[in-house]
Amino acid sequence: MLLRDIELKDDSPKEFFLDKHVKFLNNYAKNKDNSYEQIMVEYLKMNGIYWTITALKLADSSIENDIRQEIIELIRSCKHPNGGISAAPRHDPHILYTLSAIQILVSFDVNLESSNPEESVIDVNKTVEFIMSLQNDDGSFNGDHWGEVDVRFTFCSIASLALLKRLDAIDLDRAIDFVMKCYNQIDGAFGCRPNSESHSGLTYCCLGSLSIAGQLHRIDADRLGWWLAERQLPSGGLNGRPEKLPDLCYSWWVLSSLAIIGRLHWINKQKLLCFIMACQDNETGGFSDRPGNMVDPFHTLFGITGLSLLSHEYFDDSTIDHKQNDQDDRIDIEKLRKIIQKVNPVFCMLDQTITKMGIRIQRLS
Ligand code: GRG
Ligand code: ZN
């Protein structure tokens, strides 16, 4: 069978360009570099800010106070009377941007519990009401009032409420029953709705939901681990589902899933590190989906989160045959661990932020 894959060039980058990435991300945060505007386009603005801020935090870089204030003001102007938050001012509210806004505010350590609506950036009670209004009788969630159902929206709702400490506002048992209806027995992975094709991005959403709810015992972790490990291609990169090309963002969707189920060591770490490093642009900074393509903050975040998981999560890969990687070519994981912060595999935020808030996630061993 012909395998769809790419070949890494011998001269691909092998070291991590921390300073260049920080510069690249800061340009985005300041929104000054017009050449990259396509990703800061309005319909993705809130997501774009979350990707950028999270990547900067993981690179241990501080965010200037005036940028922080500007972003907080933007979130204020994206609030809607129904409690939902939009991607940009005057756009419709949606759970995807509501989660991003909450993640940004939590990362900024903004006090969300202030009872004075004048002081608080968002009205937490209203936002909780918005999320409650999205849940259907079968436990599933719509993304907004237009009614599309997808497990991405289940995850965004559950993660938002967990960060707001208001998980009791929804019917969590029913939400998880719906997630389990999207579980495909045949490969152990999940699709977007019942009987839909398995995809690693949606698998992350379902595992994240199960982890927050403490319901991971309902899956066959070995079967799922096998399917996830099969996402690694000879180039070292990961794809999202069978017969697709590798893409750097799956270094998050696949790896975080493996980390949640305690099977991160089922992939070849050094080969994936080589693929991730090869997706950097050594001139502009930033990461792209595949080596040589245009960089963007989405793939930059997931390149960095991939490196964070590979360097902070314990796993012994000493049994793996590394013949294909010259000993000299091996990437120094200890060094990476010192410069990249630990990411939380469920919330995709600094792990210490989640721990400090007292939020616990379930993980399998
Ligand atoms: C907090 C990190 C974080 C996420 C929030 C939005 C979201 C929750 C998760 C998105 C999960 C995801 C990537 C789903 C993918 C859905 C899908 C079926 C994509 C298929 O897209 P293609 O066909 O990609 O362009 P492939 O790689 O399969 O060819
Ligand atoms: Zn991608």
Side-chain angles (χ1 to χ4, degrees), residues 95 130-144 147-158 161 169-172 174-176 178-179 192-193:
I95 191 64
F130 170 71
I131 299 171
M132 288 165 75
S133 77
L134 300 176
Q135 190 167 28
N136 300 306
D137 289 344
D138 65 355
S140 66
F141 281 82
N142 302 333
D144 60 11
E148 187 196 357
V149 168
D150 190 304
V151 287
R152 284 177 304 150
F153 311 146
T154 299
F155 172 71
C156 292
S157 301
I158 292 179
L161 291 175
I170 50 160
D171 190 335
L172 190 56
R174 263 183 206 234
I176 296 303
F178 180 79
V179 165
C192 59
R193 283 177 287 276

Side-chain angles (χ1 to χ4, degrees), residues 176-233:
I176 296 303
D177 285 344
F178 180 79
V179 165
M180 288 311 296
K181 284 193 190 135
C182 304
Y183 180 58
N184 294 317
Q185 296 278 352
I186 190 143
D187 52 24
F190 294 82
C192 59
R193 283 177 287 276
N195 307 312
S196 303
E197 182 192 4
S198 291
H199 191 284
S200 65
L202 304 162
T203 299
Y204 158 79
C205 292
C206 292
L207 290 180
S209 306
L210 290 165
S211 166
I212 294 171
Q215 295 287 315
L216 283 171
H217 60 275
R218 292 171 74 167
I219 58 156
D220 180 341
D222 283 337
R223 191 183 293 247
L224 173 56
W226 180 258
W227 186 84
L228 288 167
E230 279 197 325
R231 307 280 53 79
Q232 188 164 35
L233 297 162

Side-chain angles (χ1 to χ4, degrees), residues 291-302:
N293 287 353
M294 176 89 172
V295 295
D296 63 68
F298 177 82
H299 290 95
T300 302
L301 169 63
F302 295 129

Side-chain angles (χ1 to χ4, degrees), residues 112-126:
L112 293 173
E113 275 148 34
S114 166
S115 50
N116 179 356
E118 296 286 298
E119 258 174 43
S120 56
V121 183
I122 58 168
D123 181 337
V124 171
N125 288 332
K126 279 264 158 223

